[in-house]
Amino acid sequence: MAIQALLIILVVMAVLLVVGVPISYAIGISALAAIVQVMPLDVSVLTAAQRTFVGMSKFSLTAIPFFILAGNLMNQGGIAKRLVDFVLAILGKLPGSLMVTNIGANALFGAISGSASAAAAAVGSMVRDGEQEQGYDPAACAATNGTSAPSGLLIPPSNALITYSLSAGGTSVAALFMAGYVPGVIWAVCCAVVAIIIAKQKGYTGTPGKYDWGNLGRATLRAIPSLSLIIVVIGGIIGGVFTATEGSAIAVVYALILGICYRNITVKSFWNIVVDSAKMSGMIVFLIGVSNILGWVMAFTQIPQAISAALLGLTNNFYVILLIMNVILLIAGTFMDVTPAILIFTPLFLPIVKTFGMNPVQFGLILVYNLCIGNITPPVGNTLFVAIKVGKTTLAKVLPYMLMYYVAILIGLFLVTYVPFISLGLPSLAGLI
């Protein structure tokens, strides 16, 4: 029954996606098609409706719309320029300083805004003119911008990690947030190493002259209000002062006050931001709701157990099983967005890794890291195409540089996968796991 149900889900979902059906409807319909094989249609439809309602009724889901709103407020609040100046003041002496600055600013802005595409668009636009003036190759700059932007999705606050927490049955959001820092930094450092290598090959130097401590001080003062959002919200969540949901509401208030103080948010723009955030939140929450049907169908038909038995039939080597999972996730990420992929693959793979004693927190970072790579791989690769558009170049010119970045990022993936301390070190020290 499990294999039959899995084949029905995969075939129906693939057909629906090919003909252009939205992913949320494709997930719900494919799950319903599988369950009608084992129970009457009226019972199946009623059960599906109930599971959708249950999936959307979790209080912790409130954090996602609030963090989306906070991110959109930050996007419009004029903080990108301040973060770029701050990072440039720190890293300006390195070879290819503007490319390295792009990477650091993407990590910070992506973490604050919660969107890799927004980071690539905002930060990439900020550094583009300077790169052109200094004769940087637009294709190399676009590759650097695109590949570094998803690092912010690993650094909290992260909607992807909140979604995983819900899908994994309540894994601690605070532990996931704390665990995301090192993998996010590893992603950014891998990109920075490649950027410096490219810069040395092409002769891109850093800012001439002595290190300007005065400039660093001024840039830091200007960036502190924006950086404080991460400190206040994440510090409060990890310290137990408030929950992730309460922290998301605080982030909205903080971001709104900051945008008003910077005079970048008006009554009209605020209304537009709220409407856009509501539309995005509605799509994500509905997607989580219908994915709850899929999770229930998988549990009812024992699909995870069947997949576990199949993998263990191939090998009982846990390292090989993790490698197979990584390959599957990397392939899936090339044509699926992060959120639906998390909702689909968490109930499939999490029970398997648990049988080998892997902590759900570590698996969450492996899963999100894998799927973030999909943001920069064709044919979907939204963040990559945003970076190409911002950089005013083409995919053909960018791809040779992308290959270098892919290799570096995959090295980071193997570290996150096979070195548990990378994900579990900070949460363990903080007493969260």
Side-chain angles (χ1 to χ4, degrees):
M1 180 175 68
I3 300 301
Q4 179 185 357
L6 179 60
L7 289 175
I8 291 172
I9 290 170
L10 293 176
V11 172
V12 173
M13 188 182 299
V15 171
L16 292 175
L17 291 176
V18 168
V19 300
V21 175
I23 183 67
S24 54
Y25 294 111
I27 290 174
I29 294 171
S30 60
L32 184 61
I35 199 62
V36 295
Q37 305 299 313
V38 294
M39 62 175 58
L41 178 61
D42 56 343
V43 177
S44 300
V45 173
L46 180 60
T47 301
Q50 290 174 334
R51 300 313 304 177
T52 302
F53 180 77
V54 169
M56 294 190 297
S57 300
K58 298 175 181 177
F59 177 72
S60 53
L61 266 180
T62 312
I64 293 178
F66 275 129
F67 274 128
I68 289 173
L69 178 55
N72 287 338
L73 288 169
M74 281 291 187
N75 290 344
Q76 300 292 324
I79 69 167
K81 181 65 167 62
R82 291 169 172 80
L83 293 179
V84 169
D85 291 342
F86 171 66
V87 177
L88 182 60
I90 298 174
L91 304 176
K93 298 300 178 182
L94 293 175
S97 56
L98 290 178
M99 293 168 63
V100 180
T101 295
N102 195 161
I103 294 167
N106 269 344
L108 290 176
F109 191 74
I112 292 173
S113 68
S115 171
S117 295
V123 177
S125 299
M126 293 290 175
V127 299
R128 182 185 58 204
D129 293 342
E131 290 170 337
Q132 289 176 347
E133 290 174 2
Q134 296 188 27
Y136 283 35
D137 183 350
C141 295
T144 303
N145 185 30
T147 51
S148 61
S151 63
L153 299 182
L154 293 162
I155 301 172
S158 168
N159 287 331
L161 293 177
I162 294 175
T163 303
Y164 169 76
S165 171
L166 294 167
S167 186
T171 301
S172 169
V173 174
L176 288 167
F177 276 7
M178 183 63 82
Y181 281 108
V182 177
V185 170
I186 286 176
W187 183 307
V189 169
C190 288
C191 291
V193 170
V194 175
I196 291 173
I197 292 173
I198 293 173
K200 287 188 174 181
Q201 290 175 345
K202 292 184 172 292
Y204 303 151
T205 60
T207 306
K210 296 181 178 180
Y211 199 87
D212 192 341
W213 291 100
N215 180 51
L216 174 60
R218 291 187 295 271
T220 302
L221 289 175
R222 283 169 51 84
I224 281 177
S226 302
L227 296 174
S228 295
L229 173 67
I230 298 177
I231 298 172
V232 171
V233 174
I234 305 306
I237 294 173
I238 293 173
V241 179
F242 42 73
T243 65
T245 302
E246 293 164 343
S248 65
I250 293 171
V252 170
V253 175
Y254 189 100
L256 179 59
I257 293 173
L258 203 60
I260 293 173
C261 291
Y262 288 161
R263 299 182 180 180
N264 288 311
I265 294 179
T266 63
V267 174
K268 183 179 179 180
S269 65
F270 176 70
W271 174 251
N272 292 333
I273 291 170
V274 170
V275 171
D276 290 342
S277 300
K279 291 179 180 177
M280 189 181 303
S281 301
M283 290 189 295
I284 293 176
V285 172
F286 180 67
L287 177 60
I288 291 173
V290 295
S291 295
N292 200 47
I293 308 173
L294 183 62
W296 181 82
V297 170
M298 288 180 177
F300 185 82
T301 58
Q302 298 185 327
I303 290 176
Q305 291 89 330
I307 293 177
S308 177
L311 285 175
L312 292 174
L314 293 173
T315 177
N316 60 1
N317 188 316
F318 186 44
Y319 297 106
V320 176
I321 290 175
L322 286 176
L323 179 61
I324 295 171
M325 288 182 179
N326 279 336
V327 171
I328 293 172
L329 292 171
L330 287 171
I331 294 172
T334 62
F335 60 87
M336 293 185 70
D337 287 331
V338 174
T339 299
I342 289 173
L343 296 169
I344 291 171
F345 287 104
T346 299
L348 282 176
F349 289 159
L350 183 58
I352 298 173
V353 299
K354 278 185 173 180
T355 62
F356 287 93
M358 175 177 280
N359 191 295
V361 172
Q362 183 189 357
F363 178 71
L365 270 299
I366 295 172
L367 178 68
V368 174
Y369 195 112
N370 266 292
L371 298 176
C372 282
I373 296 175
N375 275 312
I376 53 173
T377 51
V380 178
N382 294 328
T383 302
L384 172 60
F385 291 113
V386 168
I388 290 172
K389 184 176 180 181
V390 169
K392 299 179 180 179
T393 183
T394 63
L395 179 60
K397 294 179 180 179
V398 168
L399 275 179
Y401 296 106
M402 293 295 299
L403 295 176
M404 299 174 63
Y405 282 107
Y406 288 148
V407 171
I409 291 169
L410 287 175
I411 291 173
L413 172 61
F414 276 96
L415 290 174
V416 173
T417 301
Y418 294 113
V419 184
F421 184 78
I422 288 176
S423 300
L424 303 180
L426 288 180
S428 298
L429 291 174
L432 296 173
I433 56 176

PDB file of all heavy atoms in Angstrom, residues 16-37:
ATOM      1  N   LEU A  16       0.456  17.572 -12.371  1.00  0.00           N
ATOM      2  CA  LEU A  16      -0.173  18.849 -12.040  1.00  0.00           C
ATOM      3  C   LEU A  16       0.823  20.005 -12.136  1.00  0.00           C
ATOM      4  O   LEU A  16       0.488  21.092 -12.622  1.00  0.00           O
ATOM      5  CB  LEU A  16      -0.782  18.791 -10.632  1.00  0.00           C
ATOM      6  CG  LEU A  16      -1.994  17.851 -10.470  1.00  0.00           C
ATOM      7  CD1 LEU A  16      -2.415  17.785  -9.011  1.00  0.00           C
ATOM      8  CD2 LEU A  16      -3.159  18.316 -11.331  1.00  0.00           C
ATOM      9  N   LEU A  17       2.042  19.771 -11.676  1.00  0.00           N
ATOM     10  CA  LEU A  17       3.053  20.829 -11.756  1.00  0.00           C
ATOM     11  C   LEU A  17       3.439  21.126 -13.198  1.00  0.00           C
ATOM     12  O   LEU A  17       3.656  22.285 -13.565  1.00  0.00           O
ATOM     13  CB  LEU A  17       4.301  20.428 -10.954  1.00  0.00           C
ATOM     14  CG  LEU A  17       4.137  20.367  -9.428  1.00  0.00           C
ATOM     15  CD1 LEU A  17       5.412  19.860  -8.765  1.00  0.00           C
ATOM     16  CD2 LEU A  17       3.768  21.740  -8.870  1.00  0.00           C
ATOM     17  N   VAL A  18       3.508  20.086 -14.025  1.00  0.00           N
ATOM     18  CA  VAL A  18       3.858  20.286 -15.441  1.00  0.00           C
ATOM     19  C   VAL A  18       2.805  21.135 -16.159  1.00  0.00           C
ATOM     20  O   VAL A  18       3.140  21.985 -16.981  1.00  0.00           O
ATOM     21  CB  VAL A  18       4.031  18.922 -16.149  1.00  0.00           C
ATOM     22  CG1 VAL A  18       4.089  19.104 -17.663  1.00  0.00           C
ATOM     23  CG2 VAL A  18       5.299  18.239 -15.663  1.00  0.00           C
ATOM     24  N   VAL A  19       1.531  20.914 -15.828  1.00  0.00           N
ATOM     25  CA  VAL A  19       0.466  21.668 -16.496  1.00  0.00           C
ATOM     26  C   VAL A  19       0.238  23.039 -15.862  1.00  0.00           C
ATOM     27  O   VAL A  19      -0.648  23.777 -16.292  1.00  0.00           O
ATOM     28  CB  VAL A  19      -0.852  20.867 -16.529  1.00  0.00           C
ATOM     29  CG1 VAL A  19      -0.677  19.571 -17.280  1.00  0.00           C
ATOM     30  CG2 VAL A  19      -1.376  20.617 -15.109  1.00  0.00           C
ATOM     31  N   GLY A  20       1.018  23.368 -14.827  1.00  0.00           N
ATOM     32  CA  GLY A  20       0.964  24.720 -14.268  1.00  0.00           C
ATOM     33  C   GLY A  20       0.074  24.915 -13.068  1.00  0.00           C
ATOM     34  O   GLY A  20      -0.236  26.053 -12.697  1.00  0.00           O
ATOM     35  N   VAL A  21      -0.352  23.828 -12.417  1.00  0.00           N
ATOM     36  CA  VAL A  21      -1.169  23.955 -11.213  1.00  0.00           C
ATOM     37  C   VAL A  21      -0.291  24.451 -10.062  1.00  0.00           C
ATOM     38  O   VAL A  21       0.831  23.959  -9.891  1.00  0.00           O
ATOM     39  CB  VAL A  21      -1.808  22.593 -10.846  1.00  0.00           C
ATOM     40  CG1 VAL A  21      -2.569  22.683  -9.521  1.00  0.00           C
ATOM     41  CG2 VAL A  21      -2.735  22.127 -11.954  1.00  0.00           C
ATOM     42  N   PRO A  22      -0.748  25.430  -9.264  1.00  0.00           N
ATOM     43  CA  PRO A  22       0.064  25.909  -8.127  1.00  0.00           C
ATOM     44  C   PRO A  22       0.450  24.770  -7.198  1.00  0.00           C
ATOM     45  O   PRO A  22      -0.305  23.799  -7.025  1.00  0.00           O
ATOM     46  CB  PRO A  22      -0.886  26.908  -7.426  1.00  0.00           C
ATOM     47  CG  PRO A  22      -1.794  27.380  -8.513  1.00  0.00           C
ATOM     48  CD  PRO A  22      -1.993  26.193  -9.413  1.00  0.00           C
ATOM     49  N   ILE A  23       1.618  24.887  -6.590  1.00  0.00           N
ATOM     50  CA  ILE A  23       2.178  23.819  -5.778  1.00  0.00           C
ATOM     51  C   ILE A  23       1.261  23.421  -4.627  1.00  0.00           C
ATOM     52  O   ILE A  23       1.141  22.234  -4.296  1.00  0.00           O
ATOM     53  CB  ILE A  23       3.581  24.223  -5.243  1.00  0.00           C
ATOM     54  CG1 ILE A  23       4.222  23.080  -4.434  1.00  0.00           C
ATOM     55  CG2 ILE A  23       3.492  25.481  -4.405  1.00  0.00           C
ATOM     56  CD1 ILE A  23       4.578  21.885  -5.236  1.00  0.00           C
ATOM     57  N   SER A  24       0.575  24.378  -4.004  1.00  0.00           N
ATOM     58  CA  SER A  24      -0.293  24.052  -2.871  1.00  0.00           C
ATOM     59  C   SER A  24      -1.435  23.142  -3.307  1.00  0.00           C
ATOM     60  O   SER A  24      -1.755  22.148  -2.641  1.00  0.00           O
ATOM     61  CB  SER A  24      -0.838  25.327  -2.228  1.00  0.00           C
ATOM     62  OG  SER A  24      -1.480  26.139  -3.195  1.00  0.00           O
ATOM     63  N   TYR A  25      -2.066  23.466  -4.451  1.00  0.00           N
ATOM     64  CA  TYR A  25      -3.153  22.621  -4.956  1.00  0.00           C
ATOM     65  C   TYR A  25      -2.615  21.265  -5.400  1.00  0.00           C
ATOM     66  O   TYR A  25      -3.277  20.233  -5.209  1.00  0.00           O
ATOM     67  CB  TYR A  25      -3.856  23.310  -6.126  1.00  0.00           C
ATOM     68  CG  TYR A  25      -4.584  24.579  -5.738  1.00  0.00           C
ATOM     69  CD1 TYR A  25      -4.135  25.819  -6.159  1.00  0.00           C
ATOM     70  CD2 TYR A  25      -5.719  24.536  -4.930  1.00  0.00           C
ATOM     71  CE1 TYR A  25      -4.790  26.988  -5.802  1.00  0.00           C
ATOM     72  CE2 TYR A  25      -6.387  25.693  -4.564  1.00  0.00           C
ATOM     73  CZ  TYR A  25      -5.914  26.921  -4.993  1.00  0.00           C
ATOM     74  OH  TYR A  25      -6.576  28.062  -4.629  1.00  0.00           O
ATOM     75  N   ALA A  26      -1.435  21.256  -6.001  1.00  0.00           N
ATOM     76  CA  ALA A  26      -0.842  19.999  -6.455  1.00  0.00           C
ATOM     77  C   ALA A  26      -0.595  19.064  -5.277  1.00  0.00           C
ATOM     78  O   ALA A  26      -0.845  17.850  -5.365  1.00  0.00           O
ATOM     79  CB  ALA A  26       0.461  20.273  -7.202  1.00  0.00           C
ATOM     80  N   ILE A  27      -0.109  19.601  -4.162  1.00  0.00           N
ATOM     81  CA  ILE A  27       0.142  18.785  -2.976  1.00  0.00           C
ATOM     82  C   ILE A  27      -1.164  18.220  -2.427  1.00  0.00           C
ATOM     83  O   ILE A  27      -1.287  17.023  -2.134  1.00  0.00           O
ATOM     84  CB  ILE A  27       0.872  19.610  -1.905  1.00  0.00           C
ATOM     85  CG1 ILE A  27       2.312  19.899  -2.342  1.00  0.00           C
ATOM     86  CG2 ILE A  27       0.866  18.872  -0.558  1.00  0.00           C
ATOM     87  CD1 ILE A  27       3.061  20.829  -1.406  1.00  0.00           C
ATOM     88  N   GLY A  28      -2.169  19.085  -2.287  1.00  0.00           N
ATOM     89  CA  GLY A  28      -3.449  18.645  -1.729  1.00  0.00           C
ATOM     90  C   GLY A  28      -4.140  17.604  -2.592  1.00  0.00           C
ATOM     91  O   GLY A  28      -4.638  16.583  -2.088  1.00  0.00           O
ATOM     92  N   ILE A  29      -4.178  17.836  -3.910  1.00  0.00           N
ATOM     93  CA  ILE A  29      -4.863  16.919  -4.814  1.00  0.00           C
ATOM     94  C   ILE A  29      -4.141  15.576  -4.879  1.00  0.00           C
ATOM     95  O   ILE A  29      -4.769  14.510  -4.890  1.00  0.00           O
ATOM     96  CB  ILE A  29      -4.984  17.546  -6.223  1.00  0.00           C
ATOM     97  CG1 ILE A  29      -5.915  18.769  -6.170  1.00  0.00           C
ATOM     98  CG2 ILE A  29      -5.528  16.535  -7.227  1.00  0.00           C
ATOM     99  CD1 ILE A  29      -5.922  19.585  -7.454  1.00  0.00           C
ATOM    100  N   SER A  30      -2.805  15.609  -4.931  1.00  0.00           N
ATOM    101  CA  SER A  30      -2.048  14.348  -5.001  1.00  0.00           C
ATOM    102  C   SER A  30      -2.232  13.532  -3.725  1.00  0.00           C
ATOM    103  O   SER A  30      -2.346  12.301  -3.780  1.00  0.00           O
ATOM    104  CB  SER A  30      -0.568  14.634  -5.247  1.00  0.00           C
ATOM    105  OG  SER A  30      -0.011  15.414  -4.203  1.00  0.00           O
ATOM    106  N   ALA A  31      -2.279  14.195  -2.579  1.00  0.00           N
ATOM    107  CA  ALA A  31      -2.506  13.473  -1.320  1.00  0.00           C
ATOM    108  C   ALA A  31      -3.910  12.871  -1.285  1.00  0.00           C
ATOM    109  O   ALA A  31      -4.103  11.731  -0.853  1.00  0.00           O
ATOM    110  CB  ALA A  31      -2.305  14.425  -0.140  1.00  0.00           C
ATOM    111  N   LEU A  32      -4.889  13.648  -1.750  1.00  0.00           N
ATOM    112  CA  LEU A  32      -6.266  13.148  -1.792  1.00  0.00           C
ATOM    113  C   LEU A  32      -6.385  11.960  -2.742  1.00  0.00           C
ATOM    114  O   LEU A  32      -7.079  10.973  -2.452  1.00  0.00           O
ATOM    115  CB  LEU A  32      -7.210  14.269  -2.223  1.00  0.00           C
ATOM    116  CG  LEU A  32      -8.714  13.953  -2.224  1.00  0.00           C
ATOM    117  CD1 LEU A  32      -9.176  13.579  -0.822  1.00  0.00           C
ATOM    118  CD2 LEU A  32      -9.520  15.151  -2.741  1.00  0.00           C
ATOM    119  N   ALA A  33      -5.692  12.033  -3.895  1.00  0.00           N
ATOM    120  CA  ALA A  33      -5.728  10.930  -4.865  1.00  0.00           C
ATOM    121  C   ALA A  33      -5.167   9.650  -4.260  1.00  0.00           C
ATOM    122  O   ALA A  33      -5.627   8.544  -4.589  1.00  0.00           O
ATOM    123  CB  ALA A  33      -4.937  11.317  -6.110  1.00  0.00           C
ATOM    124  N   ALA A  34      -4.187   9.783  -3.378  1.00  0.00           N
ATOM    125  CA  ALA A  34      -3.599   8.598  -2.741  1.00  0.00           C
ATOM    126  C   ALA A  34      -4.520   8.006  -1.688  1.00  0.00           C
ATOM    127  O   ALA A  34      -4.664   6.779  -1.590  1.00  0.00           O
ATOM    128  CB  ALA A  34      -2.251   8.957  -2.123  1.00  0.00           C
ATOM    129  N   ILE A  35      -5.178   8.851  -0.928  1.00  0.00           N
ATOM    130  CA  ILE A  35      -5.974   8.339   0.190  1.00  0.00           C
ATOM    131  C   ILE A  35      -7.297   7.746  -0.261  1.00  0.00           C
ATOM    132  O   ILE A  35      -7.862   6.872   0.412  1.00  0.00           O
ATOM    133  CB  ILE A  35      -6.199   9.460   1.248  1.00  0.00           C
ATOM    134  CG1 ILE A  35      -6.588   8.856   2.598  1.00  0.00           C
ATOM    135  CG2 ILE A  35      -7.270  10.434   0.786  1.00  0.00           C
ATOM    136  CD1 ILE A  35      -5.536   7.965   3.196  1.00  0.00           C
ATOM    137  N   VAL A  36      -7.835   8.182  -1.409  1.00  0.00           N
ATOM    138  CA  VAL A  36      -9.104   7.618  -1.875  1.00  0.00           C
ATOM    139  C   VAL A  36      -8.942   6.162  -2.294  1.00  0.00           C
ATOM    140  O   VAL A  36      -9.940   5.462  -2.518  1.00  0.00           O
ATOM    141  CB  VAL A  36      -9.695   8.433  -3.057  1.00  0.00           C
ATOM    142  CG1 VAL A  36     -10.083   9.825  -2.633  1.00  0.00           C
ATOM    143  CG2 VAL A  36      -8.743   8.462  -4.239  1.00  0.00           C
ATOM    144  N   GLN A  37      -7.692   5.699  -2.409  1.00  0.00           N
ATOM    145  CA  GLN A  37      -7.466   4.300  -2.751  1.00  0.00           C
ATOM    146  C   GLN A  37      -7.751   3.376  -1.576  1.00  0.00           C
ATOM    147  O   GLN A  37      -7.957   2.170  -1.774  1.00  0.00           O
ATOM    148  CB  GLN A  37      -6.014   4.101  -3.204  1.00  0.00           C
ATOM    149  CG  GLN A  37      -5.575   5.005  -4.345  1.00  0.00           C
ATOM    150  CD  GLN A  37      -6.391   4.803  -5.603  1.00  0.00           C
ATOM    151  OE1 GLN A  37      -6.615   3.666  -6.012  1.00  0.00           O
ATOM    152  NE2 GLN A  37      -6.829   5.898  -6.215  1.00  0.00           N
TER     153      GLN A  37
END
